[in-house]
Structures are given as structure tokens and as C-alpha cells.
Amino acid sequence: FALAPWLIAVAEARTIRSAMLRGYFAGVLYFGVNLWWLWTATIPGTVVLILYFALYWSIAAGIVRGLQLIEFGDAEIKTASIGYRVFATAAVWVAAEWLRCYVASGFSWMPLGSTQTPVPIMCQVADLGGPWLVSFWVILPNALAAIAWQNRGSAVRWRMPTVIIVSALAIVAGYGAWRLQTTATVPGPQVMVIQSNFRHLPGGAPTVSREDAAMFFLLQMEQRLAEQPADLVVMPEAA
């Protein structure tokens, strides 16, 4: 339900422009917290990337506010309308997320669905629709919670919309359980990953020479392979 407050803030904006600004600043905060580590490679690039990624949160916020998917003005809300708005909100988010990851950036980082990796049973639908389908079901309870909060004083019958969303999540979990139980696994190759932790200066300047870095990887590989054989050794692309 972490995005429910964001949806509420967007819905309560007076204008579409203010909703987009709220969405944008929330995106800047989110990506700033998650992408700060890029400053060791490029400070200007990190700033530009954060500001650019946040634009897609702004676009999603503008569409949600413009279509009034969360806000209601009627005294009574039809059950079918609630269901439509919940699924439409999820569709808007996923569309903006897909565009952010694949249009004019090349950085398919941090889709909402990636937050669910600790729960494999809920991620198996990714083989049907990638992480976007995982993002879609994550948005459903968020949108329902936001709509319920915005219309907490209205005469609304929430039973059926809640049943629909819970049923959708149950289907996702059921499919995940089936996939985990029916997918046969076999022993694979032994893969060894070697990663250094050499400090970089702001802007990406290294603190060790190329020769020292290469020697580190050669010595570590020799030592680790003597301790435990491996079929494949993986090192960073810069190594």
C-alpha cells in the first residue's frame, strides 16, 4: 500500500498541473534515494537521470488526476465504476513505467514489480507479462485503498470491488504456486562471481591503478578457484 498516499495526494490536487508537480517531486525523491550511488560515476549524469525518470511519475499523476480515476464527486458510487477506476489506474501506472524503462533511456531499472522479489509465489506471473504484470497487481490494492479513503464518507458498497481485487491476487498466488510446483529443476553449473570494492572519487575517478585492479582479480580468482572449483567465473565488465 506504499503508493496509496501518493495516489491520494495526486487526487486531491486542485489542478492537473499541481497533480503533475506532486507526482514529479515524489518521483525525484524516490529516484534520488535509489540512484544516489551513481554519483561516483557521474554527478551531472546522476542528477539528469533522476530528474528525467521523475517525469514519468509526473505523467502518470497527470493522467490519473485528469481522468479523475481516484476522485469522486457523486454521493453514491457504482460498484462497476470502482472496479473500472482501480484497473484503469493500474494500467496508467504500468504504461508510464514501461515507457520510462524502454523509451529514450535504456535503463529498465526499478519497476514497481521488482519490490516483490522476496515473494517468489507472487512473481511467477512475470513469465506471462514480465515485471509489468507484477507491477499491475501491486497497484490494484493501492488504487482501491486510495479510492476508499477519498470516498470514506460516501454511500459506497465496497464488498464487490474488494472481492474482485482479492480474487485477482488469489489468482496470481495460485498461478505462482502451480508454477513453482510444476517447474522441474536440475543441477546447473557452479558460477563464481568476483567483485571488487575499490573506492572511486566523485565523478568516477579511480583510486587504484589499472595494474593493481587487474592483479586483484587475478589473485582472487586463483585463490578462490583453489578453494572451490567453478565452471564459470564472472567479473565486472570494467575488469
Side-chain angles (χ1 to χ4, degrees):
F1 300 98
L3 273 181
W6 181 82
L7 290 169
I8 293 171
V10 167
E12 292 183 347
R14 291 182 178 272
T15 63
I16 296 177
R17 180 180 178 182
S18 60
M20 294 183 70
L21 285 174
R22 293 183 180 188
Y24 185 76
F25 288 128
V28 169
L29 177 62
Y30 174 79
F31 290 111
V33 169
N34 284 281
L35 297 178
W36 64 269
W37 52 272
L38 285 172
W39 72 276
T40 58
T42 165
I43 295 176
T46 302
V47 173
V48 170
L49 195 63
I50 291 171
L51 297 179
Y52 172 70
F53 276 3
L55 284 174
Y56 291 91
W57 280 42
S58 178
I59 292 172
I63 296 175
V64 169
R65 174 62 178 81
L67 297 178
Q68 296 183 335
L69 295 179
I70 304 299
E71 184 65 36
F72 287 94
D74 301 330
E76 293 189 7
I77 307 170
K78 296 181 179 180
T79 298
S81 180
I82 297 174
Y84 156 75
R85 291 168 187 258
V86 168
F87 281 89
T89 300
V92 168
W93 176 272
V94 171
E97 189 173 79
W98 185 90
L99 289 172
R100 174 179 66 80
C101 290
Y102 286 111
V103 176
S105 71
F107 298 103
S108 54
W109 293 348
M110 297 180 298
L112 186 63
S114 64
T115 63
Q116 302 306 305
T117 52
V119 193
I121 193 173
M122 299 298 290
C123 296
Q124 300 308 304
V125 291
D127 58 5
L128 301 176
W132 324 116
L133 195 54
V134 182
S135 294
F136 187 88
W137 73 251
V138 172
I139 286 291
L140 295 180
N142 280 275
L144 182 63
I147 293 174
W149 175 262
Q150 286 296 95
N151 301 276
R152 55 193 180 278
S154 303
V156 183
R157 296 181 179 179
W158 294 101
R159 181 180 302 175
M160 186 55 64
T162 302
V163 168
I164 293 173
I165 302 305
V166 171
S167 298
L169 298 180
I171 292 173
V172 171
Y175 179 80
W178 174 73
R179 287 293 291 159
L180 291 174
Q181 292 179 2
T182 59
T183 302
T185 59
V186 295
Q190 292 289 328
V191 180
M192 178 183 295
V193 180
I194 302 178
Q195 174 66 283
S196 66
N197 194 27
F198 297 128
R199 188 172 66 90
H200 285 72
L201 300 176
T207 57
V208 297
S209 67
R210 297 176 62 182
E211 291 75 14
D212 290 338
M215 186 58 64
F216 166 83
F217 284 105
L218 291 174
L219 292 177
Q220 286 293 320
M221 182 167 57
E222 182 179 6
Q223 178 183 345
R224 302 301 178 184
L225 287 175
E227 297 172 353
Q228 182 179 358
D231 301 301
L232 175 66
V233 178
V234 180
M235 292 183 287
E237 70 276 7

